[in-house]
Amino acid sequence: MDEKSSEMRILLGGPQGTGLETASQILAAAYAIGGYRVYSMREYFSNIKGRHSYIGLRVNPEKQPLAPIEGPHIVAGIDAETIFTHFTEAIQDTIIIYDTRVFKTKLRSIASMEKYFRDRVRETLEKSNYDTTVEGALRYASEELGAKSIGLDYQAILNDFSQEIGISKYQAQRYLNTILVATIANITGLSLDELKRGFKRRFGSKVEIIEDNMKLSAIVYKFTADLKDKIKIPTPHHSPDEYLVVNGNEVVAMGKIVGGLRFQSYYPITPASDESFMLETHENLENYVDKSGGIVVLQTEDEIAAISAAIGSALTGARSATATSGPGFDLMVEALGWAGINEVPVVITYYQRGGPSTGLPTRGGQQDLFSALFSSHGEFPRIVISSGDHEEAFYDAITAINWAEKYQTPVIHILDKFLANTTITLELPHLEKIAIERGDLLQAPPPNYKRFKKNGSPIAPRVVLGAENAVIWYAGDEHDEEGHIIEDPINRLEMHELRMKKLEIAHQEIPQEERAVLYGSGEDFLLVGWGSTKGVALEAIELLKREGYKGAYLHLRVFEPFPKEYVAKILSRYKPEKIIAVESNYESMAAKVITMNTGFIFKKHILKWTGRPIYVKELSLATLRILEGLSSREVLSYGA
Amino acid sequence: MVLRADYKTDLWVDWCPGCGDFGILAAIQKALSELKPKPWQVAIVSGIGCSGKTPHFIYSNGIHTLHGRSIPFATGIKLSNPDLMVIIDGGDGDLLGIGAGHFVALGRRNLDITVIIHDNQVYGLTKGQASPTLQAGIKTKALPEPNIQDAINPIALALTSGYTFVARAFAMDIDHLEEVIKRAIKHKGATVIDVLQPCVTYNDIYTTQWYRKRIYHLEEEKGWNPIVERPEERYEKLGNALSKAWEWGERIPVGVFYEDRTKDTITDRIAQRIPSYYNKPPSKQAIERYGKPLLDDAKFREIFASYLVKVEK
Ligand SMILES: Cc1ncc(C[n+]2csc(CCOP(=O)(O)OP(=O)(O)O)c2C)c(N)n1
Ligand code: SF4
Ligand SMILES: [Mg+2]
């Protein structure tokens, strides 16, 4: 099964610390400026230098790709390990670019490669009688899979370059990534001028760096003259005038800034901290909002402090949040309960990675749904929102703070590593569509103000700490209207019930079709998923159309308050054996949450927990197997 | 709204009769009565323990947080509204055991908060276990066996963490404690007062009588001057304070160990990067206009210019 694609898929690989990310940024910028839609995902080890990392780029003239897909058209490797790691991913006509000096390199000499992976590669090669060398791997790719390999003498290119600009060979090594960039640019039909736009974009005012890179690129274009336009991507016709080129962390930070966030506390953790860095970069808003204004970004001593400080900030009326991933969230849950009982509008931006414990710290997953929904002792209302792509993430970041203030309760905004570290082209948001809703927030207290005086209504008017004429108490203990400790059973009965009822109000007020969104109307099957399953599910459904199966995708956006009636209604339209939960975890957590809320029990599951994202074709094939009655539970494992 | 000159609430104070916490509460209330902040301009933040109840008894904003977390809660409050007078009441277990990391962090930030340690050497509210300030070898009333863990020295820890005002006082000497509290509140920066607080129920070793026999006032020591007026004096004065910090036994010093008037605070540093910070801290900024964001499309483009790509066809 393959789709006739007009898009270009590129896999760039090399040791961490050799500028692969920069390379992908340059290429992404160059294509985006050319009007292409770009998707760029990144896989890397928990390591700073030396281990293998790779970037999967998709460049599409028409549609925005939102998921990785198998079958790169170009595989470009800085080193031998890239070839060994990815040669089996080649398809008919894939161009593999490698350094001729590693041609004879033996598999067993690659010390940075994990033994299990190396053993599997050896097995693959030996089983088909190929040498366990780069040469053997390249021959395998060409003879078994139909790929073409193109060797370049990277060092010869760098020699020419170092002589031209007068630097040492050693200094020239840091330009290795530019060889890949220029080779790919030449193959895919970018002129040197078009490539230069990418360098300019990436290096801004650093004119010398841009010039040096252009000199090297010109040399590479000469070396690769016969590859020019080899797989030219069709010209885009309907591109907008401008794009944002952003990853998930960045787009959430943008949402928070637009949404009026004024305090963020965090403790460094992958894949969340880049968001806080971005906020700090933009901390001074004086030129933009009312000639005054800024965001205080505080790096705390741990995540307990991060959430505690964010809560303290929220008490004073600032919009506040913290961002973390699983291990950090674990430390936050006691304070989450404090925010719950004290009805504090605070946002936790929760980027899932592979757990449990340290797990797969730089890889992805969707294993933290239960943790987001159920962690912390006692009962209290919380809202849990999940974003499936960059656009959702931007608006959700704002909605999260709005709902936190409206319902006076903590909001957990779940994302994942796949989204956080994937860069895409995104059309600009429409800010006039955005509402800032602060809920029942009073500037000044009415006479005899009591923070928790509810008069039977679950949401009490809120006055912030420090407001003139208001004296307010808060306690983690059960409290009376004033916020003082009280263990009286009848007070407990009423206070607890009123707090819990806020969720019912939210359930009535927030349209259910916004909390679960149905894409497509195909009647043959229904995929059900959440988070970054969205992109891959939508593309798989397209692909399956060509196989004669028409499907739809039910995308869960809000897990609390859960849109139970709407979800039950959609599910009831399909036969149970045609409803498939697709998730990046073992337990099928979202399916269980649906069962809990609707009584519907899933019979079919497609699951992946390798820490790598779900790819379009593996999902399509697994769906086919299920639809054809061959299986009930498919476990996916594509991707190095 | 009523103002109460004595800063007392109407609640029954439910500490054991004779508890040193009464002295601390009275001293805080007296200090406030003299400094006369409006009750809404004060935030008393506490952790969990007998000491944690303090804010409920003071007529001003009170935030009774989690065990060990008063400092980070207070940090978020103070950074978002630096106009508030923020005072922390915490137990020794709370601040120096479960919350010790935060205690160190506040010193590093020199944020303008006053920390009052209710130092009773025991975990009062959980019925008398050893707290981190109880010396090894001591067996207070509830302990099954003598303590086998060494004690933290709160003064030394505060000094080395970067607090710019470090003092000790005795809960039963309310007038002196009140003076120290006032000085601490007026000091610009992170301040610690280690208050020796008898726990009449669980601490039968460090009693009021025991302390009375040993306490002496640093202020009365000839030549004692803990104040840093010029940065060059810092290390010498820190050294002096540290050696006093280890004095314990027959003579126990109370009073101000160290006061550095030369160091900037974290809010000063924030204000260097965001000049309008003190005028418009996070809690005092407008963030919407008629329910819409303050940023419009044009400003969005400007702020995020580095993420914007103009398509060149
Ligand atoms: C996370 C957590 N662990 C344990 C407790 C139980 N606990 C309540 S008070 C307390 C110790 C109090 O001792 P201290 O901080 O010295 O305050 P004191 O009662 O002596 O004033 C403990 C351990 C808790 N409330 N929270
Ligand atoms: S247990 Fe000790 S610290 Fe607690 S109230 Fe009683 S005397 Fe005071
Ligand atoms: Mg204690």
Side-chain angles (χ1 to χ4, degrees):
Chain A
M1 184 172 56
D2 196 11
E3 86 293 26
K4 268 241 73 48
S5 100
S6 60
E7 70 165 24
M8 167 69 43
R9 302 197 284 265
I10 302 160
L11 191 152
L12 276 170
Q16 232 139 266
T18 50
L20 272 190
E21 211 188 341
T22 309
S24 72
Q25 287 163 348
I26 295 161
L27 284 170
Y31 293 123
I33 295 170
Y36 293 98
R37 297 178 203 244
V38 179
Y39 165 94
S40 168
M41 58 84 93
R42 189 157 69 92
E43 281 297 328
Y44 53 100
F45 278 85
S46 179
N47 154 271
I48 303 303
K49 282 196 178 160
R51 283 211 187 264
H52 177 69
S53 70
Y54 63 95
I55 298 212
L57 262 178
R58 291 177 66 181
V59 184
N60 193 305
E62 300 298 332
K63 279 196 309 198
Q64 178 62 49
L66 285 174
I69 184 165
E70 298 88 334
H73 301 110
I74 300 174
V75 173
I78 285 199
D79 58 352
E81 185 171 357
T82 302
I83 307 303
F84 285 127
T85 308
H86 299 284
F87 72 98
T88 53
E89 294 171 41
I91 55 172
Q92 187 66 41
D93 297 331
T94 296
I95 294 179
I96 303 180
I97 296 155
Y98 67 97
D99 182 355
T100 47
R101 297 197 185 194
V102 303
F103 194 60
K104 295 287 178 197
T105 300
K106 294 188 174 71
L107 178 62
R108 70 178 133 82
S109 73
I110 313 290
S112 50
M113 203 170 201
E114 288 178 343
K115 182 180 176 303
Y116 287 22
F117 200 99
R118 192 175 19 217
D119 288 349
R120 283 201 303 276
V121 172
R122 181 171 2 90
E123 223 171 274
T124 306
L125 289 171
E126 282 175 352
K127 223 178 0 190
S128 304
N129 291 318
Y130 291 93
D131 284 351
T132 52
T133 59
V134 168
E135 180 182 10
L138 291 171
R139 275 189 44 225
Y140 181 104
S142 95
E143 289 164 22
E144 307 287 328
L145 306 169
K148 300 188 196 82
S149 351
I150 291 167
L152 296 173
D153 188 340
Y154 295 176
Q155 293 308 321
I157 294 173
L158 288 182
N159 274 349
D160 285 8
F161 172 60
S162 58
Q163 276 165 23
E164 183 175 334
I165 67 163
I167 55 171
S168 72
K169 272 192 215 166
Y170 176 75
Q171 287 168 314
Q173 291 309 313
R174 65 195 158 91
Y175 288 87
L176 258 178
N177 57 350
T178 301
I179 298 182
L180 300 192
V181 168
T183 306
I184 291 165
N186 197 23
I187 296 176
T188 57
L190 290 182
S191 68
L192 273 171
D193 281 342
E194 286 167 327
L195 174 57
K196 187 173 184 178
R197 302 193 294 212
F199 286 121
K200 271 182 150 163
R201 183 76 221 161
R202 177 61 179 76
F203 297 117
S205 58
K206 297 172 190 151
V207 183
E208 246 174 66
I209 297 183
I210 298 169
E211 283 315 313
D212 288 350
N213 275 290
M214 284 311 294
K215 282 179 192 149
L216 176 55
S217 298
I219 296 171
V220 173
Y221 270 51
K222 260 188 251 152
F223 265 80
T224 59
D226 50 335
L227 297 176
K228 185 172 161 49
D229 296 354
K230 195 100 183 159
I231 20 183
K232 196 168 162 46
I233 324 169
T235 315
H237 292 299
H238 312 287
S239 21
D241 297 334
E242 54 191 351
Y243 288 120
L244 289 172
V245 179
V246 283
N247 68 29
N249 290 135
E250 291 159 352
V251 90
V252 170
M254 287 177 178
K256 285 181 171 177
I257 292 172
V258 171
L261 186 95
R262 290 297 177 265
F263 186 87
Q264 169 129 332
S265 39
Y266 78 104
Y267 187 78
I269 193 163
T270 306
S273 1
D274 287 354
E275 183 205 302
S276 299
F277 262 22
M278 163 128 173
L279 287 171
E280 190 168 342
T281 307
H282 296 282
E283 64 181 2
N284 189 334
L285 297 171
E286 294 184 353
N287 293 326
Y288 305 103
V289 290
D290 282 353
K291 296 237 178 303
S292 66
I295 305 166
V296 170
V297 179
L298 181 71
Q299 181 184 334
T300 54
E301 55 277 21
D302 57 34
E303 285 89 348
I304 299 176
I307 178 84
S308 300
I311 293 171
S313 172
L315 294 177
T316 70
R319 287 196 149 189
S320 72
T322 177
T324 190
S325 64
F329 183 79
D330 291 352
L331 293 189
M332 294 182 179
V333 300
E334 189 194 11
L336 179 66
W338 195 95
I341 195 169
N342 283 292
E343 315 201 23
V344 186
V346 68
V347 172
I348 302 175
T349 312
Y350 188 161
Y351 294 91
Q352 300 171 95
R353 63 187 216 186
S357 190
T358 309
L360 297 170
T362 60
R363 312 288 179 176
Q366 300 181 312
Q367 308 179 330
D368 299 343
L369 182 58
F370 290 172
S371 149
L373 279 171
F374 306 129
S375 56
S376 201
H377 64 283
E379 299 167 296
F380 60 90
R382 71 181 86 185
I383 292 177
V384 178
I385 310 177
S386 151
S387 301
D389 58 29
H390 295 63
E391 188 179 358
E392 288 181 9
F394 174 82
Y395 291 106
D396 287 349
I398 302 165
T399 304
I401 332 182
N402 280 343
W403 287 353
E405 289 206 311
K406 241 175 118 171
Y407 302 108
Q408 298 184 14
T409 205
V411 174
I412 299 166
H413 178 195
I414 320 180
L415 301 107
D416 59 41
K417 179 263 166 186
F418 304 131
L419 247 166
N421 290 156
T422 296
T423 299
I424 65 158
T425 42
L426 183 69
E427 284 174 46
L428 265 80
H430 300 288
L431 299 197
E432 72 283 353
K433 281 202 322 209
I434 294 167
I436 303 289
E437 298 175 272
R438 305 214 62 181
D440 199 354
L441 177 65
L442 304 181
Q443 289 314 307
N448 267 323
Y449 177 72
K450 290 177 182 162
R451 173 65 185 91
F452 300 102
K453 190 173 171 68
K454 295 196 163 175
N455 295 320
S457 144
I459 299 168
R462 188 162 70 102
V463 172
V464 304
L465 209 63
E468 213 171 307
N469 290 319
V471 181
I472 301 172
W473 285 272
Y474 287 101
D477 296 65
E478 186 59 88
H479 43 248
D480 62 15
E481 290 180 334
E482 257 181 317
H484 288 308
I485 301 174
I486 177 169
E487 300 187 14
D488 179 70
I490 301 305
N491 176 79
R492 167 69 169 182
L493 181 80
E494 292 170 1
M495 271 294 174
H496 191 62
E497 180 168 28
L498 284 172
R499 263 194 313 269
M500 295 307 291
K501 277 215 163 129
K502 293 192 293 184
L503 265 187
E504 280 171 38
I505 297 185
H507 184 57
Q508 283 152 19
E509 289 183 352
I510 308 165
Q512 295 203 32
E513 317 81 71
E514 289 173 18
R515 286 182 269 154
V517 182
L518 183 65
Y519 291 89
S521 54
E523 289 166 8
D524 298 337
F525 68 96
L526 180 72
L527 300 183
V528 180
W530 57 293
S532 48
T533 299
K534 178 184 178 184
V536 69
L538 294 180
E539 287 201 40
I541 287 170
E542 279 303 301
L543 210 55
L544 286 163
K545 253 191 213 159
R546 289 185 221 140
E547 304 292 314
Y549 286 100
K550 296 194 188 70
Y553 170 61
L554 182 61
H555 184 49
L556 302 171
R557 300 273 287 110
V558 176
F559 284 94
E560 194 71 84
F562 194 82
K564 37 186 150 213
E565 290 84 6
Y566 180 69
V567 168
K569 189 174 89 184
I570 302 299
L571 295 176
S572 71
R573 293 183 192 157
Y574 292 83
K575 291 204 188 92
E577 54 280 7
K578 301 295 177 194
I579 299 177
I580 308 168
V582 184
E583 305 187 49
S584 287
N585 57 45
Y586 179 92
E587 280 200 74
S588 209
M589 289 180 165
K592 287 190 172 147
V593 173
I594 292 175
T595 304
M596 191 180 109
N597 280 287
T598 67
F600 176 82
I601 294 172
F602 280 77
K603 293 187 154 60
K604 310 288 176 186
H605 303 272
I606 299 175
L607 303 165
K608 186 168 187 176
W609 60 86
T610 59
R612 279 61 172 177
I614 300 175
Y615 282 64
V616 175
K617 287 181 197 167
E618 62 173 347
L619 175 58
S620 309
L621 283 170
T623 307
L624 265 185
R625 285 174 54 78
I626 287 178
L627 292 178
E628 286 169 3
L630 299 172
S631 133
S632 289
R633 183 171 179 269
E634 289 282 303
V635 176
L636 310 179
S637 62
Y638 187 87
Chain B
M1 105 146 266
V2 279
L3 294 177
R4 297 186 185 190
D6 58 3
Y7 292 85
K8 287 182 181 159
T9 57
D10 302 329
L11 300 182
W12 179 61
V13 182
D14 64 354
W15 288 317
C16 307
C19 172
D21 284 340
F22 283 100
I24 300 177
L25 174 63
I28 296 172
Q29 283 162 333
K30 285 180 73 179
L32 292 177
S33 306
E34 286 194 25
L35 297 173
K36 297 190 177 51
K38 298 279 190 280
W40 57 85
Q41 293 168 330
V42 182
I44 313 276
V45 186
S46 67
I48 298 291
C50 298
S51 47
K53 297 183 179 178
T54 311
H56 296 285
F57 307 136
I58 299 176
Y59 192 73
S60 71
N61 291 312
I63 303 94
H64 184 179
T65 73
L66 294 165
H67 192 34
R69 314 305 167 199
S70 56
I71 287 176
F73 273 78
T75 300
I77 291 169
K78 183 73 181 179
L79 286 176
S80 301
N81 186 349
D83 298 336
L84 287 172
M85 174 192 292
V86 180
I87 299 167
I88 287 175
D89 277 282
D92 40 12
D94 190 279
L95 289 166
L96 301 171
I98 192 167
H102 310 309
F103 183 82
V104 172
L106 178 57
R108 290 177 56 212
R109 296 184 186 122
N110 195 28
L111 179 62
D112 189 10
I113 289 178
T114 300
V115 180
I116 299 175
I117 307 175
H118 295 229
D119 185 352
N120 56 8
Q121 290 99 346
V122 292
Y123 281 17
L125 197 58
T126 45
K127 300 191 186 290
Q129 299 84 355
S131 94
T133 55
L134 186 67
Q135 312 270 331
I138 306 268
K139 182 182 161 331
T140 46
K141 205 159 153 190
L143 295 189
E145 296 288 340
N147 184 20
I148 54 170
Q149 304 190 55
D150 280 327
I152 277 178
N153 184 323
I155 301 287
L157 183 61
L159 289 168
T160 47
S161 301
Y163 285 85
T164 48
F165 180 99
V166 180
R168 183 189 283 141
F170 181 42
M172 307 317 263
D173 186 352
I174 296 171
D175 289 342
H176 177 253
L177 175 55
E178 181 208 337
E179 285 310 311
V180 176
I181 291 174
K182 279 194 300 194
R183 237 174 111 175
I185 288 175
K186 286 185 191 152
H187 175 83
K188 202 163 138 294
T191 69
V192 170
I193 309 169
D194 176 31
V195 184
L196 306 172
Q197 176 237 320
C199 165
V200 292
T201 305
Y202 294 112
N203 195 333
D204 51 346
I205 307 287
Y206 300 110
T207 59
T208 299
Q209 299 83 309
W210 190 91
Y211 282 127
R212 287 240 188 266
K213 271 193 234 145
R214 293 166 170 83
I215 279 173
Y216 75 95
H217 287 259
L218 281 170
E219 293 91 79
E220 290 160 13
E221 284 275 284
K222 234 177 80 197
W224 180 251
N225 175 6
I227 299 170
V228 177
E229 309 268 14
R230 292 171 298 125
E232 307 86 81
E233 300 167 352
R234 237 178 235 162
Y235 296 103
E236 189 201 327
K237 303 249 157 153
L238 260 180
N240 295 344
L242 267 173
S243 41
K244 278 283 174 216
W246 297 107
E247 199 177 335
W248 185 270
E250 285 321 299
R251 269 164 64 83
I252 297 175
V254 296
V256 176
F257 283 67
Y258 184 69
E259 181 177 345
D260 183 348
R261 297 178 174 170
T262 66
K263 210 161 137 198
D264 59 354
T265 65
I266 191 173
T267 47
D268 295 336
R269 294 176 191 177
I270 292 171
Q272 276 165 20
R273 301 199 321 205
I274 309 172
S276 61
Y277 169 76
Y278 280 120
N279 268 333
K280 292 276 181 185
S283 65
K284 296 188 177 165
Q285 295 175 41
I287 56 154
E288 48 92 37
R289 205 177 285 117
Y290 307 119
K292 295 280 163 201
L294 295 182
L295 294 179
D296 56 21
D297 290 341
K299 283 178 186 156
F300 183 92
R301 281 191 174 74
E302 216 183 303
I303 296 181
F304 302 119
S306 61
Y307 297 88
L308 207 66
V309 159
K310 291 241 180 299
V311 173
E312 300 173 21
K313 286 172 185 162

